[in-house]
Amino acid sequence: MTTSELAQGDALESADDVTAPPYRLQPLLHDLVSTVMAPTSALSGPDGQIRAAGVQGVFHADSRALSQVRLLIDGVEPEAVAHAPAGPGRTRFVSLARHLGDRHPDPTVRLDRVREVGRSGMTETVEIASTASADVAATVTIELSCDFAPIEVVKSGGLAEPSPPSAGRPGELHWRSGAIRVVVTGEGAEADPGDPGTAADGEPGGATRLRWNITLAPRTRVTLRWRVAIDDPAAVVVAPAGQPEWSAPEVVAADRRLTRLLHQSLDDLRSLRLAEAGAPGDVFLGAGVPWFLTLFGRDSLWAARMLLPLGTRLAGGTLRVLARRQGVRLDPGSGEAPGKIMHELRRHEFAVEGNNLRLPAAYYGTIDATPLWISLLHDAWRWGMPDHEVAALLPNLEAALGWLGDHADPDGDGFVEYIDGSERGLANQGWKDSGDAVRFHDGTRAEPPIALAEVQGYAYEAARHAAALLEAFGRPGAARWRDHAAAMAERFRARFWVEGPQGRFPALALDRDKRPVDSLTSNIGHLLGTGILSAAEEADVAALLASPAMAEGFGLRTMSSADGGFSPLSYHCGSIWPHDTAIVIAGLARAGHGAQAASLAEGLLAAGESFGYRLPELYAGDTREVVGRPVPYPAACRPQAWSAAAAVTIAHVALGLYPDVPEGRVTLRPLAGAPFGPVSVQGFRVAGTEVRVSVGADGRADVTGLPAGMSVVGD
């Protein structure tokens, strides 16, 4: 995925990376509640309390503003009973104050705490209601602290000293670190900046707090409000204005899990919208909360590609943002090269204590973002991105092809490969970028330079997509890139295929000695539909991906359970990633293997139900029969852009709408047998026009509302 070699699950990679005790562990977050409106996010316990521990806090961009927000009534924490999302950027927490009110089993004092995260801060409304038979008097306090910890310090399990506050106007507290300013205001509250040398109300001294004294008559309620505002002029990402760049589809499906998953996923995607500080009009999706709420080339590209059925505006913004930062020089330290699309954007160098990883603020260590950029431009064009927008990006397309032809194959063997030239960057630079992700069948690690299987498929597809664009817009080079793709396919067929216990399949990669890395992994599913495989080869791959060793969990395992490196809780060697499964689902459908696609999609729907319809970044690859529900991966981001986008892919594949706007036609190819029952979506967009697509119980598909001049053709 996105990440660094401080990958979740590898906690500082391995013992070899830890030079001295104590061994610091990345904080877990699977049981935390995220409330997000990018670039601001709040992570708390299920009770709504933000404690000074782990990754809890209110974050803005890549810095933590508040490290503690703890609500007390008469010095006692309320008892939590429920929490639930309440729309994009909003969460409701329900708790009880059982020490107040009548003395009988039914609670009589209830708190509803509604947290709303905005673009540059957070507001909380605390409604306290009493059904007690007599007046209830109490003191409500909110204890606060601020440490300005950078996200990489939090991620590595490090600590930061709390920053001292200062009082402002009545009910106001201030913190400052460099250019960042944090202001907390409590309506009608007394603000106490605290004093380490004193104690108040019998509580430990020194707490910074807001305080309200309240009295509730029988069957009345009181509402308290407070807010935090964050001014961060140095942030590299900002909140975009306006409404989302995609449609809000109306979905009716017999399988209600699909409608619920899509509804929650669209809320999550709305909360992950971002723009660069200098170009607020071009919107992209931040990768995920909390570690990756910024621009990530691969993640942002895949998420935009998966959302194309809802419109091309997000794709356009993502393409332009990355085009502006396209590489122009050779720099081994950052991985930059002419024409290359970047990997990751941060405020400053991403350096982890106790680890050799040091990524510059603008880091280019990705092998696949450049071909994915090309294919997103092509696919957006096919979905109806205006010609003038496509034409404006053709110079960047040609520069990307320059990288593919001149820099993507450093040893000249005809394969796209990577090696970290800086010795401080990512050792692996595909989407599985943890240090142990590329393993042979016996579990041993492959040594770089490494040529990944799926990257050859991306490059093949990108060359053909680029040829189609160059030809359509009257630019030279189409024949060259078609020939380039054909030669790639032949080389791939000759070098990558291996024999395993379950049959013949493409290897995960070639290592530095050009040996096939012979583990069976989900990577080969990304080859489906790219064209680099023949129909017979696609059938072989589809059969293996549907085998129990790969697909007996809630989706597709990243590695076969028969391989020596497999572990269900490995970040990239046995876990299940929703976006990975969704990409393979789409490839299976494009290649005509609908039954396998439907089975994997059902796994994601079952997982979505278990996770409250907010799919995490990844979860364990356990067998369904063993646990009955997916086991969380304890450091997974949630929400995560491409995990949320997987819901759109499932709906799209079920309906099978494949437009080619330049050619004036639409192909309808729904999954055979209507595996999710009747499905209807109003709000898919073709050339900016909303259309209705439906599949009946008999599996027949229909589309209405197409733009003038578009015709429907059979598969």
Side-chain angles (χ1 to χ4, degrees), residues 547-619:
S547 68
M550 290 296 293
E552 62 186 351
F554 292 86
L556 183 68
R557 286 174 173 149
T558 44
M559 177 176 281
S560 158
S561 60
D563 280 284
F566 171 80
S567 168
L569 276 172
S570 167
Y571 195 54
H572 287 132
C573 298
S575 59
I576 293 171
W577 291 63
H579 91 280
D580 180 38
T581 301
I583 291 168
V584 175
I585 288 168
L588 286 166
R590 288 168 64 186
H593 299 282
Q596 293 93 327
S599 177
L600 290 177
E602 194 283 327
L604 289 188
L605 293 176
E609 186 175 34
S610 292
F611 287 111
Y613 297 103
R614 174 179 275 181
L615 283 169
E617 177 187 14
L618 72 157
Y619 44 88

Side-chain angles (χ1 to χ4, degrees), residues 345-619:
L345 180 65
R346 299 282 188 181
R347 179 196 308 257
H348 48 60
E349 182 183 68
F350 190 94
V352 179
E353 185 179 343
N355 188 283
N356 191 46
L357 188 73
R358 302 184 71 87
L359 305 184
Y363 180 57
Y364 289 76
T366 169
I367 195 64
D368 51 11
T370 308
L372 290 172
W373 187 95
I374 294 171
S375 288
L376 176 60
L377 179 62
H378 170 271
D379 289 359
W381 173 59
R382 292 279 295 267
W383 276 91
M385 185 175 178
D387 280 357
H388 70 275
E389 292 187 35
V390 178
L393 291 167
L394 292 179
N396 303 98
L397 168 68
E398 291 166 333
L401 289 171
W403 175 82
L404 192 60
D406 300 335
H407 302 286
D409 177 17
D411 65 4
D413 67 345
F415 295 109
V416 179
E417 58 206 351
Y418 61 82
I419 186 169
D420 172 36
S422 71
E423 299 184 353
R424 299 184 304 163
L426 298 177
N428 284 315
Q429 298 186 358
W431 85 261
K432 295 179 180 177
D433 60 1
S434 55
D436 66 346
V438 184
R439 293 176 177 242
F440 287 87
H441 174 66
D442 65 5
T444 58
R445 297 190 189 187
E447 295 295 330
I450 288 171
L452 292 168
E454 80 275 16
V455 173
Q456 314 314 308
Y458 298 162
Y460 172 90
E461 186 177 45
R464 291 184 58 82
H465 284 166
L469 285 164
L470 293 172
E471 189 170 73
F473 285 83
R475 315 276 279 218
R480 173 197 170 188
W481 288 105
R482 288 195 178 97
D483 291 344
H484 179 91
M488 282 195 71
E490 289 305 312
R491 287 192 298 271
F492 185 88
R493 189 164 288 113
R495 298 296 303 278
F496 267 80
W497 284 81
V498 296
E499 292 285 347
Q502 295 176 291
R504 189 166 178 265
F505 62 93
L508 164 59
L510 302 181
D511 76 349
R512 67 182 177 188
D513 299 319
K514 309 306 175 186
R515 295 180 302 164
V517 181
D518 57 346
S519 52
L520 174 60
T521 65
S522 63
N523 301 58
I524 63 174
H526 293 222
L527 301 170
L528 296 167
T530 64
I532 199 170
L533 303 180
S534 69
E537 290 167 341
E538 287 186 321
D540 290 342
V541 169
L544 283 173
L545 294 177
S547 68
M550 290 296 293
E552 62 186 351
F554 292 86
L556 183 68
R557 286 174 173 149
T558 44
M559 177 176 281
S560 158
S561 60
D563 280 284
F566 171 80
S567 168
L569 276 172
S570 167
Y571 195 54
H572 287 132
C573 298
S575 59
I576 293 171
W577 291 63
H579 91 280
D580 180 38
T581 301
I583 291 168
V584 175
I585 288 168
L588 286 166
R590 288 168 64 186
H593 299 282
Q596 293 93 327
S599 177
L600 290 177
E602 194 283 327
L604 289 188
L605 293 176
E609 186 175 34
S610 292
F611 287 111
Y613 297 103
R614 174 179 275 181
L615 283 169
E617 177 187 14
L618 72 157
Y619 44 88

Side-chain angles (χ1 to χ4, degrees), residues 634-647:
C637 291
R638 188 164 172 253
Q640 183 85 355
W642 57 12
S643 291

Side-chain angles (χ1 to χ4, degrees), residues 16 44 46 53 63 66 127 147 272 286 337 366 484 497 528 609 657 670:
D16 295 338
S44 73
S63 178
L66 294 179
E127 186 178 85
D147 66 1
L272 294 172
T366 169
H484 179 91
W497 284 81
L528 296 167
E609 186 175 34
L657 179 75

